[in-house]
Amino acid sequence: MLAEDVDGVQQKLKKILNFKNLHTCLKEAILLDYYVSGFLWARGMDFSVIQYIKFMTLLDMLLHNLRTLHMSLEDNIKWLGEVMAEIGPSHSQKNEEWSIFNIKQANAVIDYLKISLFQHYKLYEFLFYSTREEIVIGTKQVIEVVKPSGGLFPDPLEEGISFDLYSTFIEPPPILDTEMKRLDQKQVPEESQSEANSSDVDPLVGFTIEDIKSVLDQVTDDILIGIQAEINEKLQIQEEAFNARIEKLKKA
């Protein structure tokens, strides 16, 4: 691993640590970065192979104290101090395995641990002790589409349609006054002729054209108002049905 580049070191440690879900597991990605960063820092210090082994063991033991023994930051620093205090040539009896580091190297190791593990100790505690919700990367939803009414209204869209759009672009335009006058003028002679043929007495005697137009206009307005009210009522019913289904989908 000493001759590998960054990607090579990462692949080697990934295999040694048996990490298989780096792209989906945040914990594995953080731990791999912890070990790779430590190894690359040690390589920059020109450590010997034995020093590499001891340093990587020290990284693993500090993480073991945090993850398994639940050591606080103060206890872990105290433990590190007790270990590193035995590196001098006159202190090799108690912890002989750490005596391969000289004083300068030991200070460098402590400085590195300050900016790597100890500075982010709370984040590592959160990583090991806090439970996280699983991220939903896929889900299925069933959308209930309203069946066509088969009446005067268009088939509703899945997302619904506002009354303003319907009345502006879809609803048939109302009959203009000029067209109504033309219809009145056509209908009046035809009705007069048919009634004259059936009876000698004209029921329209005494009424002027203006009177007839006024009556027809009033009747037409009443009919249109009734149709508009019926349309508004049906649209209100459909809107309430849509809202009920939307609430049902939200609860699901």
Side-chain angles (χ1 to χ4, degrees), residues 28 35 186:
E28 290 187 1
Y35 288 111
K186 290 181 180 179

Side-chain angles (χ1 to χ4, degrees), residues 1 9 13 17 31-32 34-43 47 49-63 98 101 109 112:
M1 290 178 58
V9 172
L13 288 176
L17 298 171
L31 293 179
L32 181 62
Y34 172 78
Y35 288 111
V36 170
S37 299
F39 183 86
L40 295 177
W41 177 86
R43 188 166 66 180
F47 284 166
V49 175
I50 300 297
Q51 289 173 329
Y52 270 116
I53 296 174
K54 299 302 182 181
F55 176 73
M56 296 303 294
T57 303
L58 179 62
L59 289 181
D60 187 66
M61 291 176 66
L62 288 170
L63 208 60
W98 301 110
F101 292 106
V109 169
Y112 173 77

Side-chain angles (χ1 to χ4, degrees), residues 109-250:
V109 169
I110 293 174
D111 291 338
Y112 173 77
L113 292 175
K114 285 181 181 178
I115 64 174
S116 59
L117 177 62
F118 295 149
Q119 185 174 346
H120 307 289
Y121 206 80
K122 290 292 184 182
L123 296 178
Y124 283 99
E125 286 181 335
F126 180 81
L127 176 68
F128 292 121
Y129 304 153
S130 301
T131 58
R132 293 174 296 278
E133 296 181 358
E134 294 184 0
I135 300 177
V136 179
I137 59 177
T139 184
K140 293 183 179 180
Q141 292 183 350
V142 179
I143 300 176
E144 183 179 357
V145 182
V146 181
K147 296 181 180 179
S149 61
L152 300 176
F153 304 101
D155 295 339
L157 302 176
E158 292 182 5
E159 64 273 19
I161 186 170
S162 65
F163 175 73
D164 295 336
L165 294 177
Y166 172 78
S167 59
T168 303
F169 301 104
I170 300 177
E171 183 181 19
I175 301 176
L176 301 177
D177 294 339
T178 56
E179 295 181 358
M180 290 297 298
K181 291 180 179 180
R182 292 177 183 177
L183 292 176
D184 293 342
Q185 292 176 357
K186 290 181 180 179
Q187 291 177 358
V188 170
E190 292 177 357
E191 292 178 356
S192 300
Q193 182 177 2
S194 61
E195 291 178 358
N197 293 333
S198 60
S199 175
D200 295 334
V201 181
D202 189 356
L204 298 178
V205 174
F207 293 92
T208 63
I209 297 298
E210 296 297 329
D211 294 335
I212 295 174
K213 290 181 179 180
S214 177
V215 173
L216 290 176
D217 290 338
Q218 183 178 359
V219 173
T220 303
D221 291 338
D222 293 339
I223 294 174
L224 292 177
I225 291 174
I227 293 175
Q228 187 67 34
E230 184 180 356
I231 291 175
N232 291 337
E233 182 180 358
K234 291 183 178 180
L235 287 175
Q236 183 66 26
I237 294 173
Q238 289 188 352
E239 183 178 359
E240 293 176 357
F242 284 137
N243 291 334
R245 287 180 171 86
I246 290 173
E247 292 296 330
K248 180 180 178 181
L249 291 175
K250 288 181 179 179

